[in-house]
Every structure is written in C-alpha cells, then in structure tokens.
Amino acid sequence: QVQLVESGGGLVQAGGSLLLTCTASGSIVNAHALRWYRQALGKERELVASMTNRGQTTYGDVAEGRFTISRNHTGNTFYLQIDSLKPEDSAVYYCYVEHWVITTPHYYWGQGTQVTVSS
C-alpha cells in the first residue's frame, strides 16, 4: 500500500508559477506510471501530465506547454511545475501512481491540493 500526499498548492496571481510535489510513503522508483490530474469545480477530472517508468512524458491538452512533470529518480517524490498560470487552471490537483506487482496493477491517489489563480 502506498499513500500519496500532494503539497505546494495555494493562491497565486495569474502569470505566476507553482511547483506541486507528490510524496509517496514508499518507493516509486519502479512505478509503471506517475501522473497528475486536476478537477475544477463542476467539471470532470482530467489528465494533466504523465510519466512512464522509462521517463517518457506525455501531456494532456490542458498543458499547453506550461506544465512540466518530473521526478526524483532515487526517492519517493515527483513534481508538477506550472508556469504562466491562468484563472482557468484553478482546480484541485491530484497525483496518481500506477504500480504493478507481477501481473496485478495497483492504483493510488493522493487527496489533492487546491490551486487557485486570481486574475
């Protein structure tokens, strides 16, 4: 069982930047996938960024080149850098880890961190 805790959210002005951190209770070095999602009020949860265990990254349409996912390769944390924040980026941001044990996948979610962007 892996527990995930997000941090780094808060209130920021449009145009600013934030670094969100996801800290896992155990090693995620061999995780199959690390992802960030977000959910705005009244909207569905959407994928923001994803990283495979080989370091390949993909981004959702919402990223627009302003989001960067990265990881600590020796530890239990990964990150989401958000630049040029817009009011429409306001949402709860969740981290997610997919970890396979032999042929069984395990999925873990954090509790979310609120990001609010003022205009």
Side-chain angles (χ1 to χ4, degrees):
Q1 187 76 10
V2 175
Q3 293 182 333
L4 304 177
V5 178
E6 302 93 339
S7 60
L11 175 64
V12 63
Q13 287 189 330
S17 297
L18 280 176
L19 177 66
L20 305 184
T21 299
C22 182
T23 303
S25 60
S27 175
I28 55 172
V29 172
N30 295 315
H32 179 74
L34 308 174
R35 295 180 184 149
W36 287 95
Y37 290 81
R38 73 182 189 185
Q39 187 167 18
L41 191 63
K43 296 187 178 181
E44 294 185 353
R45 191 170 298 189
E46 58 186 353
L47 176 67
V48 175
S50 180
M51 177 179 282
T52 70
N53 56 1
R54 296 183 179 182
Q56 296 171 314
T57 58
T58 56
Y59 295 90
D61 292 340
V62 301
E64 300 176 338
R66 300 181 294 112
F67 293 68
T68 305
I69 186 171
S70 61
R71 68 178 301 172
N72 179 333
H73 289 276
T74 60
N76 60 344
T77 56
F78 64 105
Y79 312 95
L80 182 70
Q81 175 72 36
I82 315 174
D83 298 316
S84 303
L85 279 155
K86 304 176 180 180
E88 51 264 43
D89 293 322
S90 297
V92 178
Y93 284 72
Y94 299 90
C95 62
Y96 162 97
V97 170
E98 181 179 321
H99 187 73
W100 286 67
V101 179
I102 306 178
T103 58
T104 303
H106 297 268
Y107 311 106
Y108 304 101
W109 289 91
Q111 83 291 347
T113 185
Q114 177 71 49
V115 171
T116 303
V117 184
S118 63
S119 57

